């Protein structure tokens, strides 16, 4: 039986880049620093950053040329916290209903 390798180096690099960029969402990073930190060439970093810009995930400051994440991913984190809050409320309601039942 033949095994298939699903891991893609370019996709893994892009994930590392995203996680790294969370380190400074206000000041951002120079592309050269990102390329050095991620371990790729400047040309590869340019492509990766452009893909993040196309997806609406990163933006380049026109004044200083530094790249930072947009609000798009942090907004998703807010959704996660809201979902957890709703789940906690449902759990508390369920616990309260169980304790109100005097059948035991």
């Amino acid at each position: 039986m033949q095994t298939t390798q699903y891991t893609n180096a370019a996709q893994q690099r892009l994930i590392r880049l995203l996680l790294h960029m969370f380190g400074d969402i206000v000041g951002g990073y120079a592309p050269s620093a990102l390329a050095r930190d991620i371990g790729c060439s400047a040309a590869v970093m340019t492509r990766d950053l452009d893909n993040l810009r196309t997806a609406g995930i990163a933006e380049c400051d026109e004044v200083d040329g530094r790249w930072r994440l947009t609000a798009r991913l942090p907004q998703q984190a807010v959704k996660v916290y809201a979902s957890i809050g709703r789940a906690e409320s449902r759990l508390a309601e369920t616990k309260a209903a169980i304790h109100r039942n005097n059948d035991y």
Side-chain angles (χ1 to χ4, degrees), residues 12 18-19 50 55 75 102:
Q12 292 299 308
L18 278 171
L19 294 174
D50 190 61
Q75 287 168 343
N102 293 324

Short mmCIF file of all heavy atoms in Angstrom, two decimals, residues 12 18-19 50 55 75 102:
data_model
loop_
_atom_site.label_atom_id
_atom_site.label_comp_id
_atom_site.label_asym_id
_atom_site.label_seq_id
_atom_site.Cartn_x
_atom_site.Cartn_y
_atom_site.Cartn_z
N GLN A 12 3.28 24.98 5.42
CA GLN A 12 3.83 24.98 6.77
C GLN A 12 4.59 26.28 7.04
O GLN A 12 4.52 26.83 8.14
CB GLN A 12 4.74 23.77 6.97
CG GLN A 12 4.00 22.45 6.98
CD GLN A 12 2.99 22.38 8.10
OE1 GLN A 12 3.30 22.62 9.26
NE2 GLN A 12 1.75 22.06 7.75
N LEU A 18 2.42 33.23 9.97
CA LEU A 18 1.25 33.77 10.66
C LEU A 18 1.45 33.78 12.17
O LEU A 18 1.20 34.80 12.84
CB LEU A 18 0.01 32.95 10.33
CG LEU A 18 -0.68 33.26 9.03
CD1 LEU A 18 -1.76 32.21 8.75
CD2 LEU A 18 -1.28 34.65 9.06
N LEU A 19 1.87 32.66 12.72
CA LEU A 19 2.07 32.57 14.16
C LEU A 19 3.14 33.55 14.62
O LEU A 19 3.01 34.18 15.68
CB LEU A 19 2.43 31.13 14.55
CG LEU A 19 1.31 30.11 14.33
CD1 LEU A 19 1.83 28.70 14.61
CD2 LEU A 19 0.10 30.43 15.19
N ASP A 50 2.37 38.71 0.18
CA ASP A 50 1.35 39.10 -0.79
C ASP A 50 0.13 38.18 -0.72
O ASP A 50 -1.01 38.64 -0.84
CB ASP A 50 1.92 39.12 -2.21
CG ASP A 50 0.94 39.76 -3.18
OD1 ASP A 50 0.60 40.94 -2.99
OD2 ASP A 50 0.50 39.06 -4.12
N ALA A 55 -5.53 37.58 1.09
CA ALA A 55 -6.52 36.93 1.96
C ALA A 55 -7.10 37.90 2.98
O ALA A 55 -8.02 37.54 3.72
CB ALA A 55 -5.88 35.75 2.67
N GLN A 75 -10.30 38.93 15.21
CA GLN A 75 -11.76 38.90 15.24
C GLN A 75 -12.27 37.47 15.36
O GLN A 75 -13.28 37.22 16.02
CB GLN A 75 -12.34 39.55 13.99
CG GLN A 75 -12.20 41.06 13.97
CD GLN A 75 -12.50 41.66 12.61
OE1 GLN A 75 -12.52 40.98 11.60
NE2 GLN A 75 -12.72 42.96 12.59
N ASN A 102 -36.02 17.52 42.10
CA ASN A 102 -35.96 16.88 43.42
C ASN A 102 -36.35 15.41 43.37
O ASN A 102 -36.83 14.86 44.36
CB ASN A 102 -36.89 17.62 44.40
CG ASN A 102 -36.37 19.00 44.69
OD1 ASN A 102 -35.17 19.23 44.77
ND2 ASN A 102 -37.27 19.96 44.87
#
